[in-house]
Amino acid sequence: MRFGHSPATLDTTLDAVPGAAPAQWPRRPAGIAYGGDYNPEQWPEEVWAEDVALMREAGVNLVSVGIFAWAMVEPEEGRYTFDWLDRLLDLLHAAEIAVDLGTPTAAPPSWFLHRHPHVRPVTRDGQVLGSGGRQSFCPSSPEYAAAAERVTTQLARRYATHPAVVLWHVNNEYGAPVGECYCAVSAAAFRDWLRARYRDLDALNEAWGTTFWSQRYGDWSEIDAPRTAATVVNPAQRLDFARFTSDALLDNYRRERDILHRLAPGIPVTTNFQLANCKALDYWRWATEVDVVSNDHYLQAERADNHVELAMCADLTRSVAAGRPWLLMEHSTSAVNWQARNIAKRPGEMRRNSLAHVARGADAVLFFQWRAGRRGAEKFHSAMLPHGGTGTRIWREVVDLGLDLSALRPLRGTRVSADVAIVWDWAAWWALELEWRPSVDLTYRERIEAYYGQLWRDHLTVDFVHPEGDLGAYPLVVVPSLYLTTPAAAANLRAYVDGGGSVVVSYFSGIVDADDAVYPGAYPGALRDLLGLEVEEFLPLREGERVRLSDGTVGDVWAEDVRLAGATAVATYVDGPAAGGPAITHHRFGAGHAWYVSTRAHGEDLRGVLRNAYAGVGLMPPAGIPDDVEVVRRTGPDASYTVIINHRADAATVAVTGMELLTGEPCPGSVTVPAGGVRVVASSR
Ligand code: GAL
């Protein structure tokens, strides 16, 4: 294979690269997809020609169209107006811009809501949500299902063979911002779901522990959705309601997907996920239902380490995609409009963000949105074409990014290989964050991010795994906050360590089963034997309280009264409520190692236990990479591609040999990346 700087050509070729991508990848564009949500219905038609010309100038080769256009394609029930969409798709196709065609079902039109007012979602508190926004539908509503089915059928019939359409985009971010609905229809659907899960009422009473507070059910009809009540509602009921909600939304997706598959065979179907941020959906399940995974990611702009959070979300996206390439369906060129303070991206930041997603497996870089809107709730959201037009820095960076992505075409279809894994589970997240846990300071993502952040700083690439998933590929698996651990997950972790694997487990893991019932005996019931210890009592700390450990670690939020039962103490508590007791432990289990951290340690302090764990399995974090420099490798059959992103304020040099794709310069042993810059080095294998 030959490397060289690709000339600045548009990746708008109509033919796909044979065998370069998985079967379900859209047949076009051939290279890395580039573009965004395009809402031409918000603009007079004269603007469209300018849009398309500028898209060509920027190297845009894929746009998502029609996502919120229900009222424009069906202005009244049963009357369809596709002529504008016909003209638009023809225009895009003539410009060799491929289309990801949305089903418009995330924004039911006003005629529909007016006719079916009870379709609007009801909150836990019983508030019926108003109209005038979007996503105002109850996931269990038969009227909504019928209307969504009709409009999807019409779209599929009309555009199944349109040459511009390469991908279907069903709905939009199911579960966000509203996932759960507590209306009477939802409550009835919940009961049906429960009947299917438990079959008989005794099994449900047992699973939910309904002898507590006299909650026993004598008939299915007595069961309600877990609305806000006088006090805390049965946690197992709430956990099942979370599962039900994810499934109810999934049924909506499946209904549309099946129509599209039947009427438009051969065109892959996706729906945009919001991984790591949307709590409502169990994306491990959802990912098996899409032809290709796509994700939306927005920086938590005020965070100084928001690029680490970005990396985590990208790794999670690749992981639910089972390692296959995925589409970054949305991110922003600069500020969003919906955070408390919408911090603008500074020069070069958009490029770093976009290429960080590519580094971690994205073969598409798309934005919300193409042209900044003048009206409506999102008018202060950045876009590829800002209000200020083509004379702006953002526009220039958008054009430059198009050139970069064109040069990165060889990365398309290549895979990222990870060094370690972190266990991630939506059910554990749901369960951990229900009410009346030992401390309000326990949150699911916090521990995941703490460990992920330290692995990132150690320059290790992370895959996320389902707790019952295959762990065999990883020398080390980190298990943060796995409060809910099923017997199958516990057996999986045990077998993995027994066979020579290594785990680092954080406090408050292995506590309850799938019904939120505490495992019998001392904590952590599911992982006691694996960790070789018992936790006699949780010792949550007061706000601001800190504990010191014998190895210099400082913890907050949490301590435990740990009794060793086979494990040895690596560090003990020097002060605080567990003074003198074990704090960090190590247990040889079969051929492997199990480490346990019983307090909330931060950043550098986690480095100690992780370094021990690395050493135990001979894992060497890469040396010679400066702090705040991100290095990720994608590998193809003939070459590997090292993406180096410099988050520092000064230049950084990294050892690598090959050809740099963005500058076209050879790298005979190392590459120097300017402050805030990115380099991608192709090396023959
Ligand atoms: C996403 C959504 C888009 C747009 C964007 C603004 O969550 O899918 O339609 O609203 O947020 O950041």
Side-chain angles (χ1 to χ4, degrees):
M1 164 160 199
R2 286 178 53 239
F3 300 121
H5 186 215
S6 315
T9 51
L10 300 181
D11 263 339
T12 50
T13 349
L14 286 175
D15 298 312
V17 177
Q24 294 300 304
W25 194 259
R27 65 180 186 276
R28 284 188 291 120
I32 307 280
Y34 185 45
D37 280 22
Y38 179 35
N39 300 308
E41 66 275 14
Q42 296 173 12
W43 296 90
E45 222 164 303
E46 309 81 86
V47 177
W48 300 1
E50 183 190 66
D51 282 332
V52 167
L54 291 175
M55 284 177 190
R56 300 269 312 172
E57 186 179 327
V60 165
N61 54 26
L62 179 68
V63 290
S64 303
V65 165
I67 299 174
F68 298 108
W70 196 339
M72 269 62 68
V73 296
E74 191 182 4
E76 53 192 68
E77 185 161 358
R79 184 166 74 81
Y80 299 97
T81 45
F82 287 125
D83 45 322
W84 68 273
L85 193 49
D86 294 348
R87 289 195 295 281
L88 179 78
L89 295 193
D90 291 349
L91 185 68
L92 289 165
H93 185 60
E96 301 187 348
I97 296 166
V99 170
D100 166 33
L101 187 54
T103 68
T105 52
S110 61
W111 59 257
F112 174 78
L113 293 171
H114 182 68
R115 188 162 303 167
H116 307 283
H118 52 281
V119 159
R120 289 174 297 156
V122 175
T123 65
R124 252 199 107 201
D125 293 340
Q127 190 187 348
V128 181
L129 296 179
S131 46
R134 67 181 190 196
Q135 254 101 4
S136 34
F137 62 90
C138 157
S140 303
S141 158
E143 290 97 328
Y144 170 77
E149 197 170 315
R150 278 196 306 270
V151 72
T152 302
T153 303
Q154 293 295 327
L155 269 174
R157 287 213 176 106
R158 190 155 189 112
Y159 297 111
T161 56
H162 195 290
V165 180
V166 299
L167 180 64
W168 291 106
H169 180 298
V170 171
N171 202 279
N172 191 70
E173 289 183 346
Y174 279 106
V178 190
E180 297 178 331
C181 173
Y182 290 80
C183 73
V185 174
S186 288
F190 181 43
R191 285 188 286 274
D192 290 344
W193 183 93
L194 291 169
R195 268 206 193 91
R197 180 174 172 88
Y198 293 103
R199 310 232 169 260
D200 76 68
L201 205 49
D202 287 346
L204 177 142
N205 277 311
E206 173 71 21
W208 286 13
T210 54
T211 49
F212 178 80
W213 283 353
S214 191
Q215 291 167 355
R216 193 157 191 87
Y217 295 104
D219 190 274
W220 291 98
S221 61
E222 295 164 10
I223 302 172
D224 197 3
R227 301 167 204 288
T228 305
T231 184
V232 167
V233 171
N234 185 316
Q237 181 181 358
R238 294 205 60 192
L239 188 54
D240 270 346
F241 196 70
R243 293 185 175 110
F244 154 75
T245 297
S246 178
D247 286 357
L249 288 162
L250 185 57
D251 282 347
N252 283 275
Y253 164 74
R254 281 204 199 107
R255 189 181 310 115
E256 293 189 29
R257 180 206 55 196
D258 292 350
I259 293 169
L260 297 168
H261 276 170
R262 184 161 42 81
L263 298 177
I267 302 178
V269 181
T270 192
T271 182
N272 47 342
F273 294 172
Q274 237 202 352
L275 276 152
N277 291 310
C278 174
K279 192 176 165 185
L281 310 186
D282 179 351
Y283 284 120
W284 290 117
R285 250 166 95 72
W286 277 70
T288 64
E289 304 275 356
V290 294
D291 295 329
V292 55
V293 165
S294 61
N295 193 49
D296 298 348
H297 182 265
Y298 291 94
L299 290 183
Q300 296 176 14
E302 285 194 59
R303 278 175 63 162
D305 65 344
N306 56 31
H307 54 288
V308 181
E309 198 268 352
L310 180 159
M312 182 184 88
C313 293
D315 282 343
L316 182 60
T317 309
R318 183 189 64 256
S319 302
V320 302
R324 286 190 285 272
W326 49 278
L327 295 108
L328 175 62
M329 185 62 88
E330 294 178 23
H331 70 317
S332 66
T333 56
S334 189
V336 299
N337 62 298
W338 44 265
Q339 297 182 0
R341 289 164 208 85
N342 295 299
I343 309 298
K345 294 188 183 176
R346 294 295 71 215
E349 192 174 354
M350 173 187 79
R351 181 183 194 233
R352 286 196 299 282
N353 292 166
S354 297
L355 299 187
H357 285 289
V358 172
R360 292 173 192 275
D363 275 1
V365 172
L366 309 174
F367 291 94
F368 178 85
Q369 59 177 330
W370 162 250
R371 182 187 276 271
R374 285 187 54 225
R375 301 175 198 278
E378 295 185 319
K379 57 181 166 292
F380 295 122
H381 198 291
S382 60
M384 298 176 84
L385 184 60
H387 288 140
T390 54
T392 55
R393 173 189 64 80
I394 290 182
W395 174 254
R396 285 190 294 277
E397 290 196 20
V398 162
V399 172
D400 288 348
L401 182 58
L403 298 177
D404 285 343
L405 294 174
S406 182
L408 297 184
R409 183 183 176 131
L411 273 70
R412 158 90 185 263
T414 59
R415 301 292 184 102
V416 177
S417 51
D419 304 300
V420 297
I422 294 181
V423 170
W424 180 291
D425 183 34
W426 272 271
W429 187 359
W430 296 331
L432 177 72
E433 294 184 1
L434 290 170
E435 301 113 314
W436 287 5
R437 298 317 184 211
S439 168
V440 293
D441 298 322
L442 295 166
T443 63
Y444 184 70
R445 273 193 54 158
E446 187 282 325
R447 271 303 78 187
I448 301 243
E449 286 198 38
Y451 281 92
Y452 182 90
Q454 192 48 45
L455 295 165
W456 188 94
R457 285 186 289 275
D458 283 342
H459 306 290
L460 294 170
T461 303
V462 173
D463 271 349
F464 287 90
V465 287
H466 186 274
E468 295 172 21
D470 185 2
L471 308 175
Y474 308 98
L476 174 64
V477 175
V478 181
V479 188
S481 304
L482 198 66
Y483 161 71
L484 184 159
T485 304
T486 61
N492 191 38
L493 289 166
R494 216 178 288 124
Y496 162 71
V497 178
D498 194 33
S502 201
V503 289
V504 175
V505 179
S506 87
Y507 58 86
F508 215 50
S509 297
I511 307 298
V512 297
D513 64 15
D515 300 324
D516 198 46
V518 175
Y519 279 99
Y523 312 126
L527 302 174
R528 235 171 14 224
D529 56 340
L530 172 61
L531 298 172
L533 53 79
E534 296 186 348
V535 174
E536 203 169 301
E537 198 172 13
F538 304 136
L539 303 169
L541 302 179
R542 293 175 174 80
E543 193 172 5
E545 188 178 355
R546 297 212 166 357
V547 286
R548 285 179 305 132
L549 273 51
S550 55
D551 65 353
T553 296
V554 176
D556 61 5
V557 165
W558 193 260
E560 287 177 343
D561 197 353
V562 176
R563 299 270 172 266
L564 300 175
T568 51
V570 176
T572 52
Y573 287 100
V574 171
D575 55 18
I584 299 176
T585 65
H586 170 246
H587 187 218
R588 285 294 321 213
F589 184 82
H593 302 261
W595 306 83
Y596 184 64
V597 184
S598 69
T599 185
R600 192 174 85 157
H602 296 271
E604 284 295 311
D605 283 350
L606 286 173
R607 181 165 269 171
V609 64
L610 286 173
R611 285 279 151 102
N612 284 337
Y614 303 156
V617 290
L619 179 67
M620 305 270 285
I625 303 175
D627 289 350
D628 290 326
V629 174
E630 193 173 349
V631 179
V632 187
R633 186 158 297 128
R634 291 184 61 161
T635 305
D638 308 317
S640 68
Y641 303 90
T642 308
V643 184
I644 306 146
I645 304 169
N646 184 1
H647 299 281
R648 297 167 65 91
D650 56 355
T653 299
V654 171
V656 60
T657 298
M659 181 65 76
E660 206 290 308
L661 296 178
L662 300 172
T663 59
E665 287 167 7
C667 308
S670 70
V671 65
T672 296
V673 187
V678 184
R679 292 290 182 266
V680 182
V681 179
S683 315
S684 303
R685 273 158 59 89

